[in-house]
Amino acid sequence: MNIVSRPRILVVGAGFAGVECVRRLERKLTPNEAELALVTPFSYQLYLPLLPQVASGVLTPQSVAVSLRRSRKYRTRVIPGGAIGVDLKAKVCVVRKISGEIVNERYDHIVLAPGSITRTFDIPGLTEHARGMKTLAEAVYIRDHVISQLDIADASEDEAERAARLQFVVVGGGYAGTETAACLQRLTHNAVKRYPRLDPKLIKWHLIDIAPKLMPELGDKLGRSALHILRKRGIDVSLGVSIAKAGPDEVTFTDGRVIPTHTLIWTAGVAASPLIATLGAETVKGRLAVTSEMCLPGHDGVFALGDSAAVPDEAKDTAGAICPPTAQHALRQGRHVADNVIASLRGQRMTPYVHKDLGLVVDLGGMDAVSKPLGVELRGLPALIAARGYHWSALRTNVAKVRVATNWALNSVAGDDFVRTGFLTRTPATLRDFEYTNAYLTPEQLRERVGGQ
């Protein structure tokens, strides 16, 4: 086949789904069959479930960021930038490179795996004063911020200021919020021993969620076990409660309580990437509606998967069920959509995606964990082994596995040094500063740009 006529496969997003898809395409397609390109603002794959351990200092940032450029054997062209619009009719993806240049990337087949962003609501002061736990930069920033609160409290002679600095609020009783609160509470509990002027009783962590149960996917028994662990540690868990408004030095709960604090961490769910809205296609709760083969109906060569796609869950008997936005589904969807892209190229039949959930694992820091692998309920050390064993095995490279295992071993023996880097100390960063949600084109801007060229 003439190299000029090779079809171009463009993959958007370097999360679990996108990277798994690209690597499988590289293994199964010959260089003459297709040209591969991957659009991502960062040249690494982030292992998102371990971010709370980065924030708490158990793991170093680079141990959960697997480089896409480490090996020379990969032939996919990495386009350093973010996709900000897709014109399905013209088969053009508009990319803003990290240099600021905006380019049109044409494709024959496109795989949309842009992931998700932190879901927010119209709560006064939320986006101005809350931090998230969705990116590597946010995890590193939050660690710095939490340790700096201890330093400021230690330096302050004002009792009210000291009390406010030592209160922390986490919103979201899902896995991200629960693990974040648990891991960071453990960080402050250990760190305050090195601050003789601070009363450990002043440190208060609040975990709130509007839902009536903590991590309901775990079931009642394990959910109650996790709740007991958190409360035994001194974390104030409030269910059926959310945020009414947020300010720079206090947060008001919907039950009327006003908590003086300089730390509000928002992990109350995720929403599909704003890129999906630029397509003008049908969505299900904001996620792109696709078939069981992960194809976009009515558009040849368009595939979508991961957090931004409403992939039917064929493993469940419930009508209209869609796959949850979890890492295990994204990994398997990535491999499966690659096979379907190859089948499409070769004129073969595509197959539907079917995967039965393998269970859930929650690492609460230290020796505390609750897990439900294959439906088996575990607590304590067995749950911790299951949780860390699953995460370790899911890491894509041997280098990442060695780094994570070494970090775990070193932290269990030597503990933390409670070092902060001074990252963004003078310019406090919030949700809007990390996720670039205002970078996307409107449908009108997209038509104007693509139509004009």
mmCIF file of all heavy atoms in Angstrom, residues 107-140:
data_model
loop_
_atom_site.group_PDB
_atom_site.id
_atom_site.type_symbol
_atom_site.label_atom_id
_atom_site.label_comp_id
_atom_site.label_asym_id
_atom_site.label_seq_id
_atom_site.Cartn_x
_atom_site.Cartn_y
_atom_site.Cartn_z
ATOM 1 N N TYR A 107 -8.716 13.355 9.891
ATOM 2 C CA TYR A 107 -8.678 11.935 10.247
ATOM 3 C C TYR A 107 -9.596 11.142 9.321
ATOM 4 O O TYR A 107 -10.506 11.686 8.673
ATOM 5 C CB TYR A 107 -9.123 11.741 11.704
ATOM 6 C CG TYR A 107 -10.557 12.174 11.971
ATOM 7 C CD1 TYR A 107 -11.637 11.333 11.702
ATOM 8 C CD2 TYR A 107 -10.846 13.445 12.484
ATOM 9 C CE1 TYR A 107 -12.940 11.726 11.939
ATOM 10 C CE2 TYR A 107 -12.153 13.851 12.719
ATOM 11 C CZ TYR A 107 -13.197 12.982 12.446
ATOM 12 O OH TYR A 107 -14.492 13.380 12.656
ATOM 13 N N ASP A 108 -9.346 9.852 9.247
ATOM 14 C CA ASP A 108 -10.263 8.916 8.589
ATOM 15 C C ASP A 108 -11.078 8.162 9.637
ATOM 16 O O ASP A 108 -12.253 7.871 9.441
ATOM 17 C CB ASP A 108 -9.473 7.938 7.719
ATOM 18 C CG ASP A 108 -8.737 8.642 6.596
ATOM 19 O OD1 ASP A 108 -9.408 9.143 5.673
ATOM 20 O OD2 ASP A 108 -7.491 8.721 6.653
ATOM 21 N N HIS A 109 -10.403 7.829 10.734
ATOM 22 C CA HIS A 109 -11.070 7.226 11.890
ATOM 23 C C HIS A 109 -10.649 8.017 13.126
ATOM 24 O O HIS A 109 -9.482 8.366 13.262
ATOM 25 C CB HIS A 109 -10.659 5.755 12.070
ATOM 26 C CG HIS A 109 -11.138 4.854 10.970
ATOM 27 N ND1 HIS A 109 -10.556 4.833 9.722
ATOM 28 C CD2 HIS A 109 -12.154 3.949 10.948
ATOM 29 C CE1 HIS A 109 -11.191 3.936 8.966
ATOM 30 N NE2 HIS A 109 -12.155 3.389 9.684
ATOM 31 N N ILE A 110 -11.599 8.280 14.011
ATOM 32 C CA ILE A 110 -11.280 9.000 15.243
ATOM 33 C C ILE A 110 -11.807 8.215 16.440
ATOM 34 O O ILE A 110 -12.917 7.668 16.406
ATOM 35 C CB ILE A 110 -11.861 10.438 15.235
ATOM 36 C CG1 ILE A 110 -11.327 11.235 16.434
ATOM 37 C CG2 ILE A 110 -13.375 10.433 15.210
ATOM 38 C CD1 ILE A 110 -11.626 12.725 16.359
ATOM 39 N N VAL A 111 -10.985 8.131 17.468
ATOM 40 C CA VAL A 111 -11.364 7.472 18.716
ATOM 41 C C VAL A 111 -11.392 8.545 19.797
ATOM 42 O O VAL A 111 -10.361 9.118 20.146
ATOM 43 C CB VAL A 111 -10.366 6.358 19.097
ATOM 44 C CG1 VAL A 111 -10.756 5.728 20.427
ATOM 45 C CG2 VAL A 111 -10.303 5.305 17.992
ATOM 46 N N LEU A 112 -12.575 8.824 20.313
ATOM 47 C CA LEU A 112 -12.745 9.893 21.296
ATOM 48 C C LEU A 112 -12.698 9.314 22.704
ATOM 49 O O LEU A 112 -13.615 8.607 23.135
ATOM 50 C CB LEU A 112 -14.073 10.607 21.066
ATOM 51 C CG LEU A 112 -14.197 11.332 19.717
ATOM 52 C CD1 LEU A 112 -15.636 11.764 19.468
ATOM 53 C CD2 LEU A 112 -13.271 12.532 19.672
ATOM 54 N N ALA A 113 -11.620 9.638 23.406
ATOM 55 C CA ALA A 113 -11.461 9.214 24.802
ATOM 56 C C ALA A 113 -10.921 10.381 25.619
ATOM 57 O O ALA A 113 -9.878 10.267 26.271
ATOM 58 C CB ALA A 113 -10.521 8.011 24.877
ATOM 59 N N PRO A 114 -11.621 11.529 25.591
ATOM 60 C CA PRO A 114 -11.098 12.728 26.262
ATOM 61 C C PRO A 114 -11.256 12.727 27.765
ATOM 62 O O PRO A 114 -10.809 13.657 28.440
ATOM 63 C CB PRO A 114 -11.913 13.855 25.623
ATOM 64 C CG PRO A 114 -13.233 13.214 25.313
ATOM 65 C CD PRO A 114 -12.898 11.803 24.905
ATOM 66 N N GLY A 115 -11.927 11.688 28.304
ATOM 67 C CA GLY A 115 -12.058 11.597 29.749
ATOM 68 C C GLY A 115 -13.114 12.518 30.310
ATOM 69 O O GLY A 115 -14.085 12.877 29.625
ATOM 70 N N SER A 116 -12.916 12.929 31.548
ATOM 71 C CA SER A 116 -13.933 13.703 32.241
ATOM 72 C C SER A 116 -13.302 14.871 32.992
ATOM 73 O O SER A 116 -12.082 14.964 33.120
ATOM 74 C CB SER A 116 -14.696 12.809 33.229
ATOM 75 O OG SER A 116 -13.795 12.191 34.131
ATOM 76 N N ILE A 117 -14.162 15.737 33.474
ATOM 77 C CA ILE A 117 -13.740 16.852 34.315
ATOM 78 C C ILE A 117 -14.517 16.766 35.633
ATOM 79 O O ILE A 117 -15.478 15.986 35.752
ATOM 80 C CB ILE A 117 -14.017 18.213 33.641
ATOM 81 C CG1 ILE A 117 -15.528 18.370 33.365
ATOM 82 C CG2 ILE A 117 -13.213 18.360 32.367
ATOM 83 C CD1 ILE A 117 -15.925 19.749 32.899
ATOM 84 N N THR A 118 -14.101 17.538 36.608
ATOM 85 C CA THR A 118 -14.818 17.566 37.873
ATOM 86 C C THR A 118 -16.193 18.197 37.673
ATOM 87 O O THR A 118 -16.315 19.266 37.090
ATOM 88 C CB THR A 118 -14.032 18.378 38.917
ATOM 89 O OG1 THR A 118 -12.748 17.776 39.095
ATOM 90 C CG2 THR A 118 -14.760 18.392 40.251
ATOM 91 N N ARG A 119 -17.222 17.512 38.141
ATOM 92 C CA ARG A 119 -18.589 18.029 38.016
ATOM 93 C C ARG A 119 -18.838 19.076 39.100
ATOM 94 O O ARG A 119 -18.586 18.832 40.280
ATOM 95 C CB ARG A 119 -19.605 16.898 38.171
ATOM 96 C CG ARG A 119 -21.053 17.336 38.036
ATOM 97 C CD ARG A 119 -21.999 16.180 38.255
ATOM 98 N NE ARG A 119 -21.846 15.593 39.579
ATOM 99 C CZ ARG A 119 -22.532 14.530 40.000
ATOM 100 N NH1 ARG A 119 -23.367 13.929 39.179
ATOM 101 N NH2 ARG A 119 -22.338 14.061 41.223
ATOM 102 N N THR A 120 -19.294 20.220 38.685
ATOM 103 C CA THR A 120 -19.597 21.284 39.648
ATOM 104 C C THR A 120 -21.056 21.710 39.509
ATOM 105 O O THR A 120 -21.733 21.358 38.544
ATOM 106 C CB THR A 120 -18.692 22.508 39.436
ATOM 107 O OG1 THR A 120 -18.869 22.995 38.095
ATOM 108 C CG2 THR A 120 -17.230 22.156 39.653
ATOM 109 N N PHE A 121 -21.511 22.470 40.484
ATOM 110 C CA PHE A 121 -22.888 22.970 40.486
ATOM 111 C C PHE A 121 -22.859 24.489 40.688
ATOM 112 O O PHE A 121 -21.828 25.062 41.026
ATOM 113 C CB PHE A 121 -23.704 22.292 41.585
ATOM 114 C CG PHE A 121 -23.781 20.793 41.443
ATOM 115 C CD1 PHE A 121 -22.913 19.973 42.148
ATOM 116 C CD2 PHE A 121 -24.704 20.204 40.590
ATOM 117 C CE1 PHE A 121 -22.964 18.599 42.020
ATOM 118 C CE2 PHE A 121 -24.765 18.828 40.452
ATOM 119 C CZ PHE A 121 -23.893 18.022 41.164
ATOM 120 N N ASP A 122 -24.006 25.084 40.523
ATOM 121 C CA ASP A 122 -24.106 26.541 40.647
ATOM 122 C C ASP A 122 -24.197 26.923 42.125
ATOM 123 O O ASP A 122 -25.237 27.378 42.612
ATOM 124 C CB ASP A 122 -25.329 27.042 39.868
ATOM 125 C CG ASP A 122 -25.357 28.559 39.772
ATOM 126 O OD1 ASP A 122 -24.285 29.173 39.964
ATOM 127 O OD2 ASP A 122 -26.436 29.121 39.504
ATOM 128 N N ILE A 123 -23.089 26.731 42.814
ATOM 129 C CA ILE A 123 -23.007 27.058 44.241
ATOM 130 C C ILE A 123 -22.131 28.298 44.378
ATOM 131 O O ILE A 123 -21.003 28.319 43.870
ATOM 132 C CB ILE A 123 -22.402 25.881 45.035
ATOM 133 C CG1 ILE A 123 -23.308 24.650 44.907
ATOM 134 C CG2 ILE A 123 -22.198 26.259 46.495
ATOM 135 C CD1 ILE A 123 -22.719 23.397 45.519
ATOM 136 N N PRO A 124 -22.618 29.337 45.028
ATOM 137 C CA PRO A 124 -21.821 30.570 45.154
ATOM 138 C C PRO A 124 -20.428 30.316 45.742
ATOM 139 O O PRO A 124 -20.284 29.702 46.797
ATOM 140 C CB PRO A 124 -22.670 31.429 46.108
ATOM 141 C CG PRO A 124 -24.065 30.930 45.937
ATOM 142 C CD PRO A 124 -23.938 29.453 45.685
ATOM 143 N N GLY A 125 -19.420 30.778 45.011
ATOM 144 C CA GLY A 125 -18.045 30.694 45.494
ATOM 145 C C GLY A 125 -17.353 29.367 45.272
ATOM 146 O O GLY A 125 -16.156 29.231 45.574
ATOM 147 N N LEU A 126 -18.057 28.363 44.698
ATOM 148 C CA LEU A 126 -17.461 27.027 44.582
ATOM 149 C C LEU A 126 -16.239 27.010 43.672
ATOM 150 O O LEU A 126 -15.146 26.595 44.078
ATOM 151 C CB LEU A 126 -18.506 26.029 44.068
ATOM 152 C CG LEU A 126 -17.991 24.601 43.831
ATOM 153 C CD1 LEU A 126 -17.517 23.976 45.141
ATOM 154 C CD2 LEU A 126 -19.075 23.742 43.193
ATOM 155 N N THR A 127 -16.408 27.478 42.432
ATOM 156 C CA THR A 127 -15.286 27.399 41.486
ATOM 157 C C THR A 127 -14.156 28.357 41.839
ATOM 158 O O THR A 127 -13.014 28.148 41.432
ATOM 159 C CB THR A 127 -15.771 27.690 40.051
ATOM 160 O OG1 THR A 127 -16.404 28.972 40.010
ATOM 161 C CG2 THR A 127 -16.760 26.625 39.599
ATOM 162 N N GLU A 128 -14.469 29.395 42.626
ATOM 163 C CA GLU A 128 -13.430 30.359 43.010
ATOM 164 C C GLU A 128 -12.578 29.883 44.188
ATOM 165 O O GLU A 128 -11.426 30.283 44.330
ATOM 166 C CB GLU A 128 -14.062 31.711 43.381
ATOM 167 C CG GLU A 128 -14.688 32.456 42.215
ATOM 168 C CD GLU A 128 -16.112 32.005 41.917
ATOM 169 O OE1 GLU A 128 -16.652 31.163 42.696
ATOM 170 O OE2 GLU A 128 -16.688 32.480 40.932
ATOM 171 N N HIS A 129 -13.153 29.004 45.033
ATOM 172 C CA HIS A 129 -12.455 28.672 46.274
ATOM 173 C C HIS A 129 -12.207 27.181 46.492
ATOM 174 O O HIS A 129 -11.496 26.824 47.437
ATOM 175 C CB HIS A 129 -13.232 29.228 47.466
ATOM 176 C CG HIS A 129 -13.465 30.705 47.398
ATOM 177 N ND1 HIS A 129 -12.432 31.629 47.495
ATOM 178 C CD2 HIS A 129 -14.603 31.433 47.207
ATOM 179 C CE1 HIS A 129 -12.925 32.848 47.378
ATOM 180 N NE2 HIS A 129 -14.231 32.767 47.200
ATOM 181 N N ALA A 130 -12.753 26.312 45.649
ATOM 182 C CA ALA A 130 -12.565 24.870 45.847
ATOM 183 C C ALA A 130 -11.381 24.343 45.043
ATOM 184 O O ALA A 130 -10.994 24.918 44.024
ATOM 185 C CB ALA A 130 -13.830 24.115 45.439
ATOM 186 N N ARG A 131 -10.810 23.271 45.532
ATOM 187 C CA ARG A 131 -9.770 22.539 44.800
ATOM 188 C C ARG A 131 -10.320 21.169 44.425
ATOM 189 O O ARG A 131 -11.213 20.644 45.097
ATOM 190 C CB ARG A 131 -8.519 22.340 45.655
ATOM 191 C CG ARG A 131 -7.651 23.578 45.781
ATOM 192 C CD ARG A 131 -7.968 24.388 46.978
ATOM 193 N NE ARG A 131 -7.147 25.600 47.029
ATOM 194 C CZ ARG A 131 -7.306 26.544 47.926
ATOM 195 N NH1 ARG A 131 -8.236 26.458 48.847
ATOM 196 N NH2 ARG A 131 -6.525 27.606 47.920
ATOM 197 N N GLY A 132 -9.780 20.569 43.373
ATOM 198 C CA GLY A 132 -10.219 19.252 42.949
ATOM 199 C C GLY A 132 -9.143 18.210 43.171
ATOM 200 O O GLY A 132 -8.076 18.485 43.718
ATOM 201 N N MET A 133 -9.440 16.997 42.736
ATOM 202 C CA MET A 133 -8.476 15.900 42.819
ATOM 203 C C MET A 133 -8.582 15.094 41.519
ATOM 204 O O MET A 133 -8.856 13.904 41.498
ATOM 205 C CB MET A 133 -8.776 15.022 44.040
ATOM 206 C CG MET A 133 -7.773 13.905 44.292
ATOM 207 S SD MET A 133 -6.108 14.436 44.597
ATOM 208 C CE MET A 133 -6.257 15.051 46.258
ATOM 209 N N LYS A 134 -8.341 15.803 40.385
ATOM 210 C CA LYS A 134 -8.545 15.188 39.075
ATOM 211 C C LYS A 134 -7.269 15.144 38.246
ATOM 212 O O LYS A 134 -7.187 14.377 37.288
ATOM 213 C CB LYS A 134 -9.623 15.981 38.314
ATOM 214 C CG LYS A 134 -10.265 15.228 37.160
ATOM 215 C CD LYS A 134 -11.255 14.221 37.678
ATOM 216 C CE LYS A 134 -12.004 13.521 36.570
ATOM 217 N NZ LYS A 134 -11.174 12.662 35.717
ATOM 218 N N THR A 135 -6.290 15.967 38.597
ATOM 219 C CA THR A 135 -5.058 16.025 37.817
ATOM 220 C C THR A 135 -3.847 15.840 38.730
ATOM 221 O O THR A 135 -3.945 16.003 39.955
ATOM 222 C CB THR A 135 -4.922 17.376 37.085
ATOM 223 O OG1 THR A 135 -4.728 18.416 38.059
ATOM 224 C CG2 THR A 135 -6.162 17.683 36.257
ATOM 225 N N LEU A 136 -2.721 15.533 38.117
ATOM 226 C CA LEU A 136 -1.489 15.359 38.881
ATOM 227 C C LEU A 136 -1.093 16.669 39.557
ATOM 228 O O LEU A 136 -0.660 16.682 40.721
ATOM 229 C CB LEU A 136 -0.374 14.882 37.951
ATOM 230 C CG LEU A 136 0.942 14.464 38.613
ATOM 231 C CD1 LEU A 136 0.726 13.309 39.570
ATOM 232 C CD2 LEU A 136 1.967 14.082 37.539
ATOM 233 N N ALA A 137 -1.262 17.775 38.840
ATOM 234 C CA ALA A 137 -0.910 19.080 39.406
ATOM 235 C C ALA A 137 -1.774 19.402 40.621
ATOM 236 O O ALA A 137 -1.291 19.965 41.611
ATOM 237 C CB ALA A 137 -1.067 20.172 38.350
ATOM 238 N N GLU A 138 -3.060 19.030 40.566
ATOM 239 C CA GLU A 138 -3.941 19.280 41.711
ATOM 240 C C GLU A 138 -3.502 18.483 42.938
ATOM 241 O O GLU A 138 -3.509 18.995 44.059
ATOM 242 C CB GLU A 138 -5.383 18.920 41.350
ATOM 243 C CG GLU A 138 -6.083 19.977 40.529
ATOM 244 C CD GLU A 138 -7.482 19.571 40.132
ATOM 245 O OE1 GLU A 138 -7.664 18.451 39.621
ATOM 246 O OE2 GLU A 138 -8.410 20.379 40.311
ATOM 247 N N ALA A 139 -3.127 17.216 42.737
ATOM 248 C CA ALA A 139 -2.701 16.382 43.862
ATOM 249 C C ALA A 139 -1.451 16.949 44.514
ATOM 250 O O ALA A 139 -1.350 17.016 45.749
ATOM 251 C CB ALA A 139 -2.447 14.952 43.385
ATOM 252 N N VAL A 140 -0.496 17.378 43.693
ATOM 253 C CA VAL A 140 0.743 17.962 44.218
ATOM 254 C C VAL A 140 0.438 19.284 44.922
ATOM 255 O O VAL A 140 0.977 19.575 46.001
ATOM 256 C CB VAL A 140 1.764 18.178 43.082
ATOM 257 C CG1 VAL A 140 3.001 18.898 43.592
ATOM 258 C CG2 VAL A 140 2.155 16.838 42.464
#
